[in-house]
Amino acid sequence: MQAVQRLGRDFRLLWAGETVSMVGSAVAGTALPLVAVVGLRASTFEVALLTAVAWLPWLVVGLPAGAWVDRVRKRPVMVACNTVSMLVFVSVPLAQVAGVLSVPYLLGAALAGGIANVFFSVAYRSYLPAIVDGDQLLKANTRLLGSESVAQVGGPGLAGVLAAAFGPVSGVLVDAVSFGVSALCLKGIRRVEPKPVVTQRVRLRTQVADGMRFVADDPYLRVLVLFGAASNLALDGYASIQVVFLARDLGAGVGTIGVVLALVEVGGVVGALLVTRLAGRFGTARAFLLCEVLAAPVMLIGPLDGLTCFVVAGIAVTGGLVGSNVLTGTFRQRYCPPELFGRITASSAVVNYGTIPLGAFLGGVLGEALGVRETMFIMAGVQLASLVILLKSPLRRDRDFPTAAARPLQSLQPPHQPPPAARSGSSPG
């Protein structure tokens, strides 16, 4: 508690608001597929499509969102996104009451919420360093992701209870309310965020290119992006059909599904609790590799017969995922220049998150063609194969992630300096 006090009142407000929002999102993450599977009798492909359309906006608006967010204060963007998300998801139970709820309506809500999430996520990651000192970032990220893990533990179980008592759509209403609470907490933050300094008029397209080039040229960011893309393809191809697997292959009811998914997320709590200790003992880079290498093989037992196998695999994967996210998120916040952070985040996320809709789409297509269990085995194999990217990278030789600021880009230098003779995409060393 003393450590949280040192992080300050503004961080506690951000933490509280995001924790409530994470609980709501965790409830909705189970409730939306349950609405589709139980309430609307959706096919395996349609259920997977819910995940695909929610992440599709990263491919469409992710890059310009990152460049635009770098030009403005972050908190107003986050408040506006939470307000839009609240209105979008409160419309789902209203549509059910009106008798017009359908799979296309759910897909439209997921798409609109996904667009708001793009702008919120880019702004949120850029905003944390503005209210937390650099030496406190690991601690702050650990608490935020730890809360997310706790939310993921309680969220699916709550979704199952609500679905059994009031119907699956009630969980979507909880998500809408949580966005409203998060917006109010953000508005209560006192620290005045400095307005971004723009030294020259640069076209949005040029700023987008700056972020992409920075990521492509940096050996650490490039490896993390490539690995994240491959890993997300596998993880979300697997996750997009797991509710169908539990309900139809294993015969679990809505309450049981909620409990099982809650147990899986216990791994995230463990990962968040242990990651600081692992980083202190082995180093941040080695701890990151440890989280990924130990968790991936266990994913192969998830599609075996029985709920126990699914839970054990899920705990291992979730624990490794949360631990590695804490470490890589803190690395980026320390390593990347603040004036480029939004663009770097967006450029990374477009590739990382761009494979999520592809993975969900493949999960649905292969699930229909080959079977749900068989598709989950395929996705677990892809996750295991993605480790080759890390084991062939510079990270295998490092104890810790680097913390030195990276080099500036030509387009960010003062306007009186001439542009490079040829725009080859490379930056000076």
Side-chain angles (χ1 to χ4, degrees):
M1 186 66 183
Q2 199 172 19
V4 178
Q5 291 290 341
R6 287 198 298 271
L7 286 168
R9 172 189 176 276
D10 288 338
F11 172 76
R12 293 196 298 273
L13 274 172
L14 178 68
W15 189 22
E18 284 314 291
T19 299
V20 172
S21 181
M22 289 167 189
V23 171
S25 296
V27 170
T30 301
L32 276 174
L34 285 176
V35 171
V37 171
V38 178
L40 301 175
R41 304 295 178 186
S43 67
T44 299
F45 177 73
E46 288 172 330
V47 175
L49 205 58
L50 277 173
T51 300
V53 300
W55 291 95
L56 184 63
W58 280 103
L59 287 173
V60 181
V61 299
L63 289 173
W68 179 75
V69 164
D70 274 341
R71 297 178 172 186
V72 299
R73 289 190 172 98
K74 313 303 183 287
R75 186 173 62 156
V77 175
M78 294 160 64
V79 172
C81 290
N82 273 337
T83 303
V84 169
S85 296
M86 178 184 67
L87 295 175
V88 166
F89 288 109
V90 82
S91 76
V92 173
L94 293 177
Q96 186 187 50
V97 171
V100 296
L101 185 61
S102 63
V103 171
Y105 193 100
L106 276 185
L107 292 172
L111 180 63
I115 294 171
N117 179 57
V118 169
F119 285 90
F120 181 90
S121 296
V122 174
Y124 173 64
R125 292 171 195 176
S126 305
Y127 183 62
L128 184 61
I131 62 170
V132 175
D133 295 334
D135 60 350
Q136 297 288 308
L137 280 173
L138 179 58
K139 194 177 297 180
N141 280 310
T142 299
R143 279 159 177 72
L144 287 166
L145 281 171
S147 294
E148 181 177 357
S149 299
V150 172
Q152 293 290 348
V153 170
L158 180 57
V161 170
L162 291 171
F166 307 107
V169 79
S170 59
V172 185
L173 179 60
V174 169
D175 191 26
V177 172
S178 75
F179 280 117
V181 172
S182 180
L184 290 174
C185 287
L186 285 169
K187 288 180 73 68
I189 293 175
R190 292 174 183 166
R191 183 178 297 189
V192 178
E193 180 188 359
K195 187 175 182 179
V197 177
V198 180
T199 57
Q200 60 176 332
R201 303 292 294 180
V202 181
R203 289 181 300 177
L204 193 68
R205 182 174 61 186
T206 302
Q207 290 186 306
V208 168
D210 286 344
M212 295 178 67
R213 187 166 63 252
F214 192 97
V215 173
D217 287 349
D218 189 278
Y220 293 96
L221 296 175
R222 183 172 64 244
V223 163
L224 292 177
V225 165
L226 292 175
F227 171 71
S231 179
N232 283 338
L233 177 76
L235 290 170
D236 286 273
Y238 184 102
S240 66
I241 55 175
Q242 65 183 6
V243 171
V244 179
F245 172 69
L246 293 171
R248 295 177 181 168
D249 287 59
L250 299 185
V254 293
T256 302
I257 290 172
V259 171
V260 166
L261 295 179
L263 290 173
V264 163
E265 298 299 337
V266 169
V269 178
V270 176
L273 290 174
L274 294 181
V275 66
T276 303
R277 187 175 301 175
L278 288 174
R281 180 169 182 179
F282 299 107
T284 53
R286 289 178 185 172
F288 164 70
L289 290 175
L290 193 65
C291 288
E292 296 292 350
V293 170
L294 293 182
V298 188
M299 190 172 169
L300 287 165
I301 73 171
L304 297 175
D305 281 328
L307 294 174
T308 301
C309 291
F310 182 88
V311 170
V312 170
I315 288 173
V317 172
T318 305
L321 184 64
V322 169
S324 64
N325 281 346
V326 169
L327 294 167
T328 55
T330 303
F331 158 65
R332 288 188 178 97
Q333 288 164 346
R334 289 174 172 170
Y335 184 74
C336 301
E339 69 275 8
L340 270 173
F341 195 82
R343 278 166 280 174
I344 292 171
T345 297
S347 298
S348 302
V350 164
V351 181
N352 282 348
Y353 296 163
T355 59
I356 291 178
L358 177 59
F361 180 81
L362 284 175
V365 170
L366 295 177
E368 293 277 5
L370 304 177
V372 173
R373 188 191 304 270
E374 292 77 7
T375 300
M376 292 173 72
F377 274 122
I378 291 171
M379 293 302 170
V382 173
Q383 173 68 7
L384 187 60
S386 70
L387 295 177
V388 174
I389 298 171
L390 295 180
L391 298 178
K392 294 286 187 179
S393 75
L395 284 171
R396 75 183 188 276
R397 298 188 298 268
D398 294 342
R399 184 184 189 277
D400 291 290
F401 284 115
T403 57
R407 57 197 177 280
L409 290 165
Q410 295 284 356
S411 62
L412 293 174
Q413 293 174 357
H416 64 266
Q417 294 189 3
R423 298 188 63 81
S424 63
S426 61
S427 300

